[in-house]
Amino acid sequence: MKIQPFQFNMFGELTYIVWDQESHEGAVIDPGMSTTAEQKLLDQFINDHDIKLKYLLYTHLHIDHTLGHDHIAEAYKLESRAGSADAPLGTGRAQQARMFNLSIATPSELKIDIPLRDGELLPIGKENLEVIFVPGHSPGSVAYYCKESGFVITGDALFNGSIGRTDLPGGNHRQLIESIRTRLLTLPPETVVLPGHGPSTTIEHEKSSNPFL
């Protein structure tokens, strides 16, 4: 499976496009575009690679990971999929924008069309994204693991040398540490970790050197 990250919005959030080169099936994960230019950049990439988007996926529903929701949902006629426990964050996007003093148009409510299930497999071509629940950064945080291609998209749960913040509404530090240790660090050590911000890393590297773990 192919992966392309895009760094968007004032938070430096990473949006991911993953796709299968044979079938051209793909998914967008955490669309964070906040400007027309960012929307056009993503659309152009999808068009240039003839990607047929099958899924609109979220690791969690904090505002920086959802700013591009309306554009993707409308332009590609996709239903949103996320952990159901994050539903209040989706419906409260306007409140989140005010909390961060964002000078953007008031975002609409983001309703989860299809709640994700822990362990669910989302086929893309001949490979799968496995849904792994990793609550703690937010109540409904999930990661997407591709066993065949050896990567996991962790959102804001696990970073290179760090972990997600837990001081936002619904955050739970103890729960996040438990999620990382039991759900992520148990993946094969060579698994590439693709976080919601910052550089990539590996499970082996974080297991051996992350000071928060």
Side-chain angles (χ1 to χ4, degrees):
M1 196 178 303
K2 298 285 287 183
I3 313 163
Q4 179 63 46
F6 295 85
Q7 183 172 296
F8 288 141
N9 67 53
M10 62 291 295
F11 296 96
E13 179 267 353
L14 291 175
T15 293
Y16 291 95
I17 295 287
V18 299
W19 77 101
D20 172 71
Q21 287 184 295
E22 292 185 10
S23 66
H24 295 275
E25 290 182 343
V28 56
I29 301 175
D30 291 353
M33 310 88 71
S34 62
T35 66
T36 301
E38 290 180 345
Q39 292 174 1
K40 289 181 177 179
L41 179 64
L42 195 72
D43 289 340
Q44 189 64 55
F45 183 87
I46 292 168
N47 183 66
D48 287 348
H49 291 80
D50 192 27
I51 298 170
K52 299 174 177 63
L53 289 180
K54 186 177 181 180
Y55 305 110
L56 168 54
L57 305 175
Y58 290 98
T59 61
H60 64 295
L61 297 183
H62 284 152
I63 187 69
D64 54 328
H65 290 254
T66 69
L67 285 169
H69 169 79
D70 292 346
H71 174 73
I72 293 294
E74 293 170 9
Y76 299 95
K77 310 303 180 187
L78 293 172
E79 296 179 303
S80 60
R81 301 178 189 232
S84 60
D86 267 13
L89 293 174
T91 56
R93 285 204 302 162
Q95 181 181 357
Q96 290 191 61
R98 289 193 297 270
M99 182 174 67
F100 286 104
N101 296 313
L102 300 185
S103 56
I104 58 174
T106 302
S108 64
E109 292 188 358
L110 193 169
K111 296 183 180 179
I112 300 172
D113 297 312
I114 304 176
L116 294 168
R117 304 185 308 275
D118 187 34
E120 179 178 0
L121 296 180
L122 303 171
I124 297 178
K126 296 178 180 178
E127 301 185 36
N128 295 286
L129 292 179
E130 179 184 350
V131 177
I132 301 176
F133 280 15
V134 287
H137 174 65
S138 74
S141 287
V142 306
Y144 297 100
Y145 172 52
C146 182
K147 179 180 179 180
E148 297 88 349
S149 290
F151 69 82
V152 61
I153 296 174
T154 58
D156 288 1
L158 179 62
F159 298 120
N160 186 328
S162 188
I163 62 172
R165 61 188 295 182
T166 54
D167 59 336
L168 297 173
N172 185 311
H173 180 79
R174 181 176 297 178
Q175 185 180 45
L176 177 59
I177 295 296
E178 180 71 9
S179 293
I180 294 171
R181 285 178 172 165
T182 63
R183 311 307 309 279
L184 296 178
L185 297 188
T186 53
L187 295 174
E190 66 275 10
T191 302
V192 176
V193 175
L194 302 170
H197 304 265
S200 62
T201 182
T202 65
I203 292 296
E204 182 177 27
H205 181 75
E206 298 314 306
K207 193 172 185 178
S208 63
S209 65
N210 191 309
F212 295 91
L213 302 174

